[in-house]
Structures are given as C-alpha cells and as structure tokens.
Amino acid sequence: MQIFILLLLWASRVTETTTGTWRQCTELLPLDLLSFVLERDTSRVVPGVRVKQLAGVRGVQFLSPDTSMSFPASQFLVNCDLFPNEFSLVVTVKVNPISPKRDEYIFSLMGPKNVERSALKEKVEVLGTKNLGFISEDEQQLQKKETKSDAKPGGIILGLKLSQNGLNFVFKGNGKAAEHQSFHDIHLTPNQWHTLVLVIGIHHMKLTVDCSSPLEIAPPRAFPSDLNIQGSRFHIGSRGRWKGLFSGLMRQLVLVPNSDASHQICPSSDPQLAALSVPPLLLDLPVRRQNDRHATFSGTAGRLSVGLERPCSELLRHQLWFNPLKKGLYVCDGSAWITVWEDHKRLDYVSEHQVLITSSETHDVEVFQIQDVGLMAAMAHRASGSAVYLWTHLGFQLYQNISTHGALAWKHFQIGKKAYLVVSNSGTGTNKSLDKDPETDFSVIYKWSKRRKRFVRFQTLQTYCARDWEAFNINEQTYLAVANHRMGNSNHTINSVIYKWNRSTKSFEVHQTLITLGAYDWEFFKVGPYHFLVVANAFDGVTTSVDSVIYIWIDGRFQVFQTIKTFCATDWEMFQIGSRVFLAVANGYRLQGNGSSQYTISSTIYELDMSTQLFVRFQDIVTYSAVDWEFFSLREEYFLVVANSYNGESYSLNSILYRWQGYEGFVPVHWLPTIGCSDWEFFSSNGEFFLIYSSAKAALSKVFKLKTY
C-alpha cells in the first residue's frame, strides 16, 4: 500500500509538471547577469575568467566554460516557468575579429539534457533506492547515464552570439529547431568597446548600438510567448562548451524584463560605455604608480559605482553610487545610502503598449469615437483593402475591413449626429474602368450604419491622387477639402476642391476650387471670428521649394491670406498655447540643383504676430523627411511629436517627442524608434493617454502609453 501511494504521488507530480498552468515571468526588476556570477565570492576572481583592461576600461575575459559562469535560471527568474515574452538585453563588450564558421556566445540559456530523464530521476527520488524493483532495468540504466551527463547542457533555449556575419539572436521556436535572427547590417569594430541594447517583442526586434539610431525589424517568426525555462541554466560567455567561448572582453550584461532599456541609458555622454549596471569588480580604479601622472588613486573614498541596487557597508564608506533607473546619485555613510541628488522629472515619458500587425504598410491612421460603440482607428493600407480597428482592454483589435485602392488618408467627421469616414484613394478602383479619364481616381465617403454597426458606402467623389481630406464647419455648414496631389505622373499644378454639404440632396457638391502644387495636406483652424485653411504644397513638377498658402474665409469663399516658402511640405499642424497661435510645417526634402535630394532639413514653427497679422518664424527644428506633426497637452504641459520617415540612407529612425519650455521653445525629451513613420495620432481612454504611429515601410503600427506621473 505504501508503494502504491508513492507511485500515485510520483504520477501526480509528473502530471502537475507537464499539464499544469505555466507561470509567466512578469513584474521583474532588471537582472544583472554578469554581477551575479562575478560576485559569488567577492574575495577573489571566480575561476574561468580574468580581469583585463582596454583603453582604461575594465572587462572580464573568459578562459574556459567554467561551471562558475553558469547557474540555474530558477535562481534568477523566480516563481515562474516561462521566459518573459518582452524584454531587453544590455551588453557592453569588446570584440575580437571572428574567423569564418565560428560562433561566439555572449550568453546562452540552455535547456535540460533530456526532459524524459528528469521525470525518471524524480520517479527514483519518490520511490527511493530501496524500491528499485519497481523500476525496469532499462530505466535504471537510463538513470545511471543521466547521473553521468548532468553537467552537460541540453539544447539552446535562448542566446546571443557573434559571428563573422554580425550579431545573432537565437531562440527556441515552436518546433525543435532553434530560430536565428541576424542583424547583418550591424558590424562591431574590433578592439573597441560597444554597448548594445537588444529589445525583443512578440512581433518585433530592435537593436541600438552605442545609442545611435536603432535598427528595427519585424521578424518572419514571432518570439514565442510560451518559452519554457524549467530546468534550464544560464551560461555567461559560452553555451557551456569550449566551442563557442566568447574571446573578447565583457563589461556589462543585464536582462531587463518587460521594458525597453534603451530609454534608460540613452542618450549618454559616453555611448560606447553607456551603463545600466556594471559589476563593482570592473569599476575598481587602477593603483596609481609614482611615475604615472595620468593614473588615478585606488581606494574606496570618492569612487563612483554605476548600476542597480548596491550594498552599503563600512568598507564602502564615502563611495558614490549612481542608479541609472532612478536617475539618482547616492553616497554610502557606512550603513545606508544617503541621497545626494535625484531626478524627479524622469525622461521616460513613453512606454510601448501594443505592436499592431497590419495587412500591409500604412500611410495614415485616424482615431475617432463612435457613440455606443467606442474608440476606433481607421488605417489607410497601401495594399488593396484598409481596416477599422476597435479599442479594447487588449489594445486595437480588427473590427471591419473596407475595400480601398492605394489608400493614403482617412478623415472622420460628423454631420449632426451621423458619423462619416472619407478615404483618399490613389490607385485603380472598381469605377475607374468606367471613367474616360485614365488619370482619375475615386475617393469614397462611408456612413456609419447604427443598425449594421458598420461603415457602408455613401458617396463617391472624383479625385486625383488625393493625399488628404479635411472636414470643417463654418456658419453651421459642413465642408470637405481634398488635397489633389497630381494628375497623371507629371502634372502637379492642378485644382484641389472644396465640397459643401447640400442638405436637400444629402450629398457633397463642389463649392470652390483652388490651384495647388502637389498638395499633401489641408489644415483648417479658427482664430477668434476668422476661419483659415492652409495647404501644404510639395512639388510643382520642377522643385520642392514652393510656396504653401494660408487662405482666409471672406464672403463665403477662401482667399489668399499669406504665402510661406516650404520644401516639399507634407503637413501643417495648428495649435495654441495660452493666447499664442502657432503653425508647424513638416518639410519633406529639398531637391538640389544636381537632381539629388536633401532629407535632413529644418521644419519650422510659425507664430501669429497680432501686430502685423502675419505668421512669423518662431523656431526651426531639424527633421528627417518629416511627414507629420502631432500636438497634444497633458497636465498643463504641451508636446509636439514629429514623424521622421527617411534620412537618405535608412527608414529606421527616431521620431522625436518635444516638450514646450517657454522661452526655449520646444526641446527634445524622448526618442521613439520608428520604421518609415507616416503618421502620429494622440488619443485618450479611461483617463489614460496614448500615441499611435503608422509605418509606410513595415506592416505594423505601434501604440505607446504616456506616463503621466
């Protein structure tokens, strides 16, 4: 009976292990992997490594895949079974030239040798050695083999390695084979220090080297959300074998679960050595020699330690410690850390909230509210067919597909209590074959059906590569303005059209036409009793240096109010701060006389001068083929975010968030990694605030949550 009960206990434990609910690793603090292995015995350097110095900076060199450089994952990732599905890795290394066909592991997470053997070993432990008669001879032999091979690692679960082709992130996919994501465009200079921040999300990966512009990719296979780490071990500087041993120097290795660590260490005054957590052993300063005037004194007093939590003891009295997470400087009094300075105005205003995978690249996103339904977003997809998404507790979820043709923009508007969407189509539609003019497109207005809870086709309007729609009301009349970009491939000097809502026919009719030059955007705004409409003119067929025009509403029509020289203007954004009125233009690029293009140019903020009644230049901001500005305010603070799309070499750029600083104007406070950014939209939900951007070069959009504490 006792043996029977033991067998039941063993079976229940195995069943619980194999079929129970796996626990995700969440709410973890940054984990300093390198300090964990180096500080096991602070009285000596652990076996298998030695400390070396390069350019006055210390790192560890790995001499062998010693067991001291390995530890069970359960010691670090406590009370969980699944690896975090979103995390960052912060690494500072000095690499050596790597020979062909050789891989060197910065770190690896290796699984158990054999899962079946682990279950067998547990069976032996439950029954005990006195009851081996209930275990077959084959199982006993297998148990003996397992005991001999316990020190050998199993298959790789996760790893970061270097090869001649660049940096490679390795992880166990849904199948048995490991997935490899290579960053071929990243080549580290040998014999120099570099700090890398690798950010892993379920549907995207981002690599930042030395706080430069990040390289962001959408991998063909998503990172698994159910990566089991039971029985696994971390190996620092190897994969537990001589083959693959890291030959360079390592100074920093930190795992940051559920966070983008690049915002915590960048920008940095020393980007190649940007620090989140460096082991104290590597912060010790060299002893000063009598003949060395440039060396620094050893000793504890006055040393600066950079990293996460540090113990304070009598031995560390007077030592300074900088915590990059809290942005604080502290001094040890022998028993506790005393605050010298803390930055309460943290710069990490934004955290990534959702990566929305779309059916194709997206040129524009329009966020709006539908009564009794909720918050929605219409996305203009490049490929045939756009989509409307509904905001839920999980983020934006697909709600409705709408047939479009080269959609470039959406605009939501209301007429009374009825809601509408209008799309700018720039490709061949179903009606085009019926039109005699092959250069004509047809844009479509959709009306919200309360009965069907869907948008349904309402009216079709003839357009010419329409880039934007603007809806506005003047004297209780509803108008639509379309920005016609070009007719055919060469004629950019064409009419853009103002439509007026006819209450009798319940349709839009032409009210006024205005000559535009490759129009990209309309922006309507009011100043006191006056109504204005400004067009972003981009190209006249010869040059991008053209006049954009501000119109004023007089006697039922728009008339020219002011012209402003712009350079492929793609967007206007009007905003007010107090009683001051501003207009910001996004300049795309400057076409040079030799036919080349300059994408790094200034976009400009203009302010309305009440004395001259003209908009005058207020501030220039360097942008990279900017295509959108978005203004918003939070708790009496004012912000602008720019959509940087291209710098002449890459579409993977930082779009920048600026904060209003009064007499300083707008200053950059946050750098947001984007891929071919085409639009920004600000929105709020249940007292929380968000930004969403669309990508014209990748099939994804991102939602960022704004921290308001």
Side-chain angles (χ1 to χ4, degrees):
M1 179 61 70
Q2 290 177 337
I3 293 173
F4 178 69
I5 292 174
L6 287 172
L7 285 169
L8 285 178
L9 286 171
W10 171 77
S12 66
R13 289 175 68 183
V14 172
T15 302
E16 181 182 355
T17 302
T18 55
T19 63
T21 302
W22 304 119
R23 297 164 296 177
Q24 190 81 45
C25 293
T26 58
E27 300 181 0
L28 295 175
L29 295 173
L31 306 171
D32 190 338
L33 298 171
L34 190 56
S35 291
F36 189 78
V37 294
L38 293 181
E39 295 181 9
R40 290 180 176 179
D41 184 356
T42 57
S43 64
R44 64 187 181 95
V45 178
V46 296
V49 300
R50 66 180 175 188
V51 176
K52 293 189 68 175
Q53 188 166 298
L54 175 71
V57 179
R58 288 188 166 192
V60 291
Q61 181 183 34
F62 298 92
L63 305 177
S64 69
D66 195 273
T67 54
S68 62
M69 290 289 102
S70 172
F71 57 90
S74 58
Q75 293 183 8
F76 233 36
L77 303 172
V78 183
N79 297 325
C80 56
D81 310 299
L82 304 179
F83 200 83
N85 53 21
E86 294 185 326
F87 59 93
S88 300
L89 290 166
V90 181
V91 183
T92 300
V93 290
K94 187 276 293 184
V95 300
N96 293 330
I98 299 176
S99 60
K101 298 183 180 180
R102 176 179 171 84
D103 294 331
E104 295 187 2
Y105 280 81
I106 294 173
F107 88 98
S108 63
L109 179 62
M110 307 299 292
K113 185 66 176 177
N114 193 308
V115 177
E116 294 179 2
R117 289 178 186 167
S118 298
L120 175 60
K121 187 175 182 179
E122 187 170 15
K123 180 178 177 181
V124 175
E125 292 173 351
V126 172
L127 292 174
T129 56
K130 293 182 180 180
N131 298 305
L132 291 180
F134 290 90
I135 302 177
S136 67
E137 292 184 5
D138 290 341
E139 288 179 320
Q140 293 183 43
Q141 292 296 324
L142 191 60
Q143 196 271 333
K144 292 179 181 179
K145 293 180 180 178
E146 179 182 3
T147 302
K148 295 179 180 179
S149 61
D150 274 346
K152 297 179 181 179
I156 190 165
I157 294 177
L158 194 76
L160 190 63
K161 67 178 184 178
L162 290 164
S163 67
Q164 196 176 46
N165 294 328
L167 186 72
N168 299 269
F169 176 64
V170 186
F171 61 93
K172 184 179 179 181
N174 295 325
K176 293 184 178 180
E179 303 283 351
H180 291 71
Q181 181 58 58
S182 300
F183 295 87
H184 296 300
D185 295 334
I186 300 298
H187 294 283
L188 305 180
T189 305
N191 301 316
Q192 290 188 14
W193 289 105
H194 294 284
T195 295
L196 293 73
V197 182
L198 178 62
V199 182
I200 304 297
I202 297 177
H203 297 291
H204 75 290
M205 297 180 185
K206 182 185 74 172
L207 178 64
T208 302
V209 179
D210 300 335
C211 289
S212 60
S213 297
L215 173 64
E216 188 165 4
I217 60 175
R221 293 180 180 85
F223 183 77
S225 60
D226 56 352
L227 195 59
N228 197 317
I229 57 174
Q230 283 193 319
S232 62
R233 294 182 68 88
F234 279 101
H235 295 267
I236 310 303
S238 74
R239 56 172 181 152
R241 303 175 183 176
W242 280 96
K243 186 177 181 180
L245 185 68
F246 182 59
S247 65
L249 299 181
M250 186 182 301
R251 179 174 173 82
Q252 176 176 221
L253 178 59
V254 185
L255 170 65
V256 186
N258 309 312
S259 180
D260 183 345
S262 61
H263 304 319
Q264 298 171 10
I265 67 171
C266 296
S268 171
S269 60
D270 192 358
Q272 290 182 295
L273 294 170
L276 181 62
S277 183
V278 176
L281 176 67
L282 304 180
L283 291 169
D284 288 347
L285 299 176
V287 178
R288 180 176 180 179
R289 299 184 296 274
Q290 291 184 351
N291 296 330
D292 188 355
R293 293 180 298 171
H294 301 287
T296 53
F297 287 102
S298 65
T300 304
R303 283 216 320 262
L304 175 64
S305 172
V306 180
L308 306 178
E309 295 300 326
R310 291 278 186 263
C312 175
S313 64
E314 187 62 35
L315 293 175
L316 299 179
R317 179 182 289 273
H318 304 308
Q319 176 168 319
L320 294 171
W321 165 46
F322 178 75
N323 187 325
L325 290 182
K326 296 181 179 180
K327 303 292 192 297
L329 182 65
Y330 312 88
V331 62
C332 177
D333 69 353
S335 61
W337 292 104
I338 306 301
T339 301
V340 177
W341 174 81
E342 280 186 341
D343 181 12
H344 297 287
K345 296 180 179 180
R346 297 178 60 183
L347 295 182
D348 51 340
Y349 295 98
V350 184
S351 63
E352 190 174 291
H353 184 74
Q354 181 189 10
V355 178
L356 180 61
I357 304 301
T358 54
S359 60
S360 75
E361 299 87 340
T362 305
H363 290 286
D364 177 70
V365 57
E366 174 82 350
V367 180
F368 55 92
Q369 193 86 26
I370 294 293
Q371 187 176 2
D372 300 327
V373 177
L375 188 74
M376 289 185 161
M379 296 195 179
H381 295 328
R382 179 186 61 82
S384 181
S386 294
V388 176
Y389 295 82
L390 178 66
W391 181 257
T392 70
H393 68 284
L394 298 175
F396 282 114
Q397 304 295 316
L398 181 62
Y399 184 84
Q400 179 184 356
N401 288 311
I402 297 179
S403 177
T404 56
H405 308 280
L408 295 175
W410 283 101
K411 186 65 181 181
H412 166 264
F413 61 96
Q414 297 267 150
I415 301 179
K417 295 182 179 180
K418 296 178 181 179
Y420 298 84
L421 272 179
V422 58
V423 65
S424 300
N425 282 324
S426 65
T428 302
T430 56
N431 294 328
K432 194 160 184 177
S433 60
L434 303 177
D435 189 71
K436 295 181 181 180
D437 185 355
E439 299 174 342
T440 301
D441 303 311
F442 287 90
S443 295
V444 182
I445 302 172
Y446 297 87
K447 181 181 179 181
W448 176 257
S449 170
K450 293 183 178 179
R451 180 179 62 84
R452 298 174 59 183
K453 293 191 180 302
R454 289 286 189 273
F455 283 100
V456 297
R457 183 184 287 258
F458 176 74
Q459 184 180 355
T460 300
L461 296 172
Q462 178 178 304
T463 54
Y464 297 89
C465 191
R467 301 291 315 197
D468 180 60
W469 285 94
E470 180 74 324
F472 52 92
N473 289 283
I474 299 177
N475 300 328
E476 299 183 354
Q477 299 290 330
T478 302
Y479 296 87
L480 280 178
V482 64
N484 284 324
H485 183 63
R486 69 173 185 268
M487 186 183 297
N489 293 322
S490 58
N491 187 5
H492 293 78
T493 304
I494 58 176
N495 281 326
S496 289
V497 183
I498 312 295
Y499 295 91
K500 182 179 180 181
W501 175 253
N502 187 318
R503 295 175 179 173
S504 300
T505 62
K506 297 188 182 305
S507 63
F508 281 94
E509 299 175 351
V510 175
H511 175 74
Q512 182 181 1
T513 59
L514 296 168
I515 292 291
T516 53
L517 310 174
Y520 242 85
D521 177 68
W522 284 109
E523 175 83 348
F524 175 83
F525 60 96
K526 288 182 61 179
V527 179
Y530 301 101
H531 304 84
F532 295 90
L533 189 64
V534 56
V535 64
N537 283 327
F539 185 59
D540 64 359
V542 178
T543 179
T544 59
S545 176
V546 295
D547 285 338
S548 290
V549 184
I550 304 172
Y551 298 90
I552 187 171
W553 182 265
I554 298 176
D555 295 332
R557 301 182 74 82
F558 283 107
Q559 300 182 24
V560 175
F561 173 77
Q562 182 182 352
T563 60
I564 296 177
K565 182 68 68 178
T566 53
F567 302 92
C568 188
T570 55
D571 180 64
W572 284 100
E573 181 81 352
M574 178 270 180
F575 56 93
Q576 288 187 249
I577 298 177
S579 60
R580 302 171 69 177
V581 178
F582 298 91
L583 267 180
V585 64
N587 284 320
Y589 66 95
R590 187 194 298 264
L591 191 62
Q592 309 281 40
N594 57 6
S596 62
S597 299
Q598 180 183 350
Y599 298 94
T600 304
I601 60 174
S602 291
S603 292
T604 304
I605 301 172
Y606 298 89
E607 183 178 6
L608 181 59
D609 186 331
M610 294 300 181
S611 60
T612 62
Q613 296 185 356
L614 292 173
F615 282 93
V616 296
R617 185 184 303 270
F618 171 77
Q619 182 181 0
D620 289 323
I621 296 177
V622 175
T623 55
Y624 304 90
S625 193
V627 292
D628 184 54
W629 283 107
E630 179 76 359
F631 174 83
F632 61 94
S633 61
L634 286 175
R635 296 186 176 181
E636 298 182 356
E637 288 192 312
Y638 305 97
F639 299 88
L640 270 176
V641 60
V642 66
N644 285 324
S645 66
Y646 185 60
N647 64 1
E649 297 179 353
S650 174
Y651 295 98
S652 295
L653 300 173
N654 283 324
S655 291
I656 301 177
L657 179 65
Y658 299 86
R659 183 175 65 183
W660 174 254
Q661 292 287 88
Y663 71 92
E664 295 181 63
F666 285 91
V667 299
V669 292
H670 204 82
W671 287 256
L672 303 171
T674 54
I675 306 173
C677 186
S678 57
D679 189 32
W680 283 103
E681 287 290 316
F682 169 80
F683 66 95
S684 62
S685 176
N686 297 323
E688 296 181 315
F689 304 95
F690 302 88
L691 282 170
I692 182 173
Y693 98 85
S694 58
S695 170
K697 292 298 176 180
L700 61 83
S701 293
K702 281 189 181 181
V703 179
F704 295 92
K705 186 176 181 180
L706 303 181
K707 299 179 182 180
T708 57
Y709 57 87

Short mmCIF file of all heavy atoms in Angstrom, two decimals, residues 205-224:
data_model
loop_
_atom_site.label_atom_id
_atom_site.label_comp_id
_atom_site.label_asym_id
_atom_site.label_seq_id
_atom_site.Cartn_x
_atom_site.Cartn_y
_atom_site.Cartn_z
N MET A 205 11.76 43.30 -33.21
CA MET A 205 13.04 43.33 -32.54
C MET A 205 13.73 44.64 -32.89
O MET A 205 13.59 45.13 -34.01
CB MET A 205 13.92 42.14 -32.95
CG MET A 205 13.34 40.79 -32.59
SD MET A 205 14.43 39.41 -33.10
CE MET A 205 13.39 38.01 -32.66
N LYS A 206 14.49 45.17 -31.93
CA LYS A 206 15.16 46.46 -32.15
C LYS A 206 16.55 46.39 -31.54
O LYS A 206 16.71 45.93 -30.41
CB LYS A 206 14.35 47.59 -31.51
CG LYS A 206 14.94 48.98 -31.73
CD LYS A 206 14.16 50.03 -30.98
CE LYS A 206 14.42 49.97 -29.51
NZ LYS A 206 13.82 51.10 -28.76
N LEU A 207 17.53 46.83 -32.30
CA LEU A 207 18.91 46.83 -31.82
C LEU A 207 19.47 48.24 -31.88
O LEU A 207 19.45 48.89 -32.93
CB LEU A 207 19.77 45.89 -32.67
CG LEU A 207 21.26 45.83 -32.30
CD1 LEU A 207 21.45 45.27 -30.90
CD2 LEU A 207 22.03 44.99 -33.32
N THR A 208 20.00 48.71 -30.75
CA THR A 208 20.65 50.01 -30.66
C THR A 208 22.11 49.79 -30.30
O THR A 208 22.42 49.09 -29.33
CB THR A 208 19.98 50.89 -29.59
OG1 THR A 208 18.59 51.04 -29.90
CG2 THR A 208 20.63 52.26 -29.53
N VAL A 209 23.02 50.36 -31.08
CA VAL A 209 24.45 50.23 -30.84
C VAL A 209 25.01 51.61 -30.51
O VAL A 209 24.87 52.56 -31.29
CB VAL A 209 25.18 49.64 -32.06
CG1 VAL A 209 26.68 49.55 -31.79
CG2 VAL A 209 24.62 48.27 -32.39
N ASP A 210 25.60 51.73 -29.35
CA ASP A 210 26.24 52.97 -28.90
C ASP A 210 25.28 54.17 -28.98
O ASP A 210 25.66 55.27 -29.37
CB ASP A 210 27.50 53.25 -29.73
CG ASP A 210 28.53 52.13 -29.60
OD1 ASP A 210 28.51 51.43 -28.58
OD2 ASP A 210 29.34 51.96 -30.53
N CYS A 211 24.03 53.91 -28.60
CA CYS A 211 22.99 54.96 -28.52
C CYS A 211 22.74 55.66 -29.85
O CYS A 211 22.25 56.80 -29.89
CB CYS A 211 23.33 56.00 -27.45
SG CYS A 211 23.18 55.36 -25.76
N SER A 212 23.07 54.99 -30.95
CA SER A 212 22.80 55.57 -32.27
C SER A 212 21.37 55.22 -32.67
O SER A 212 20.62 54.61 -31.91
CB SER A 212 23.80 55.03 -33.29
OG SER A 212 23.71 53.62 -33.38
N SER A 213 20.99 55.60 -33.88
CA SER A 213 19.65 55.29 -34.36
C SER A 213 19.45 53.77 -34.39
O SER A 213 20.29 53.04 -34.91
CB SER A 213 19.43 55.87 -35.76
OG SER A 213 19.52 57.27 -35.74
N PRO A 214 18.35 53.29 -33.83
CA PRO A 214 18.17 51.84 -33.74
C PRO A 214 17.79 51.21 -35.07
O PRO A 214 17.23 51.87 -35.96
CB PRO A 214 17.02 51.70 -32.73
CG PRO A 214 16.24 52.97 -32.89
CD PRO A 214 17.24 54.04 -33.22
N LEU A 215 18.13 49.94 -35.19
CA LEU A 215 17.70 49.12 -36.32
C LEU A 215 16.53 48.29 -35.85
O LEU A 215 16.67 47.48 -34.92
CB LEU A 215 18.84 48.23 -36.80
CG LEU A 215 18.49 47.19 -37.87
CD1 LEU A 215 18.05 47.86 -39.16
CD2 LEU A 215 19.66 46.24 -38.13
N GLU A 216 15.37 48.49 -36.44
CA GLU A 216 14.17 47.78 -36.01
C GLU A 216 13.67 46.90 -37.14
O GLU A 216 13.60 47.31 -38.29
CB GLU A 216 13.08 48.78 -35.60
CG GLU A 216 11.89 48.12 -34.96
CD GLU A 216 11.00 49.13 -34.24
OE1 GLU A 216 11.30 50.33 -34.31
OE2 GLU A 216 10.03 48.72 -33.61
N ILE A 217 13.31 45.66 -36.80
CA ILE A 217 12.83 44.71 -37.80
C ILE A 217 11.61 43.99 -37.29
O ILE A 217 11.37 43.90 -36.08
CB ILE A 217 13.93 43.67 -38.15
CG1 ILE A 217 14.34 42.90 -36.90
CG2 ILE A 217 15.13 44.32 -38.80
CD1 ILE A 217 15.32 41.78 -37.19
N ALA A 218 10.81 43.52 -38.22
CA ALA A 218 9.69 42.64 -37.91
C ALA A 218 10.08 41.24 -38.38
O ALA A 218 10.05 40.96 -39.58
CB ALA A 218 8.41 43.12 -38.61
N PRO A 219 10.48 40.34 -37.47
CA PRO A 219 10.99 39.03 -37.88
C PRO A 219 9.90 38.18 -38.51
O PRO A 219 8.71 38.36 -38.23
CB PRO A 219 11.48 38.41 -36.56
CG PRO A 219 10.69 39.11 -35.50
CD PRO A 219 10.45 40.49 -36.02
N PRO A 220 10.29 37.24 -39.38
CA PRO A 220 9.29 36.39 -40.04
C PRO A 220 8.55 35.49 -39.06
O PRO A 220 7.41 35.11 -39.32
CB PRO A 220 10.13 35.56 -41.03
CG PRO A 220 11.53 35.62 -40.50
CD PRO A 220 11.66 36.94 -39.83
N ARG A 221 9.20 35.15 -37.94
CA ARG A 221 8.55 34.31 -36.92
C ARG A 221 8.56 35.05 -35.60
O ARG A 221 9.58 35.57 -35.18
CB ARG A 221 9.26 32.96 -36.79
CG ARG A 221 9.12 32.09 -38.03
CD ARG A 221 9.85 30.77 -37.86
NE ARG A 221 9.73 29.92 -39.03
CZ ARG A 221 10.52 29.99 -40.08
NH1 ARG A 221 11.51 30.87 -40.10
NH2 ARG A 221 10.35 29.19 -41.12
N ALA A 222 7.42 35.08 -34.95
CA ALA A 222 7.28 35.82 -33.70
C ALA A 222 8.04 35.12 -32.57
O ALA A 222 8.20 33.89 -32.56
CB ALA A 222 5.80 35.95 -33.34
N PHE A 223 8.51 35.93 -31.63
CA PHE A 223 9.13 35.36 -30.44
C PHE A 223 8.05 34.67 -29.62
O PHE A 223 6.99 35.23 -29.36
CB PHE A 223 9.80 36.46 -29.61
CG PHE A 223 10.55 35.94 -28.41
CD1 PHE A 223 11.79 35.35 -28.56
CD2 PHE A 223 10.00 36.02 -27.15
CE1 PHE A 223 12.48 34.86 -27.46
CE2 PHE A 223 10.67 35.54 -26.05
CZ PHE A 223 11.92 34.96 -26.20
N PRO A 224 8.29 33.42 -29.18
CA PRO A 224 7.23 32.65 -28.51
C PRO A 224 6.86 33.24 -27.15
O PRO A 224 7.72 33.72 -26.41
CB PRO A 224 7.85 31.26 -28.36
CG PRO A 224 9.33 31.48 -28.41
CD PRO A 224 9.55 32.64 -29.33
#
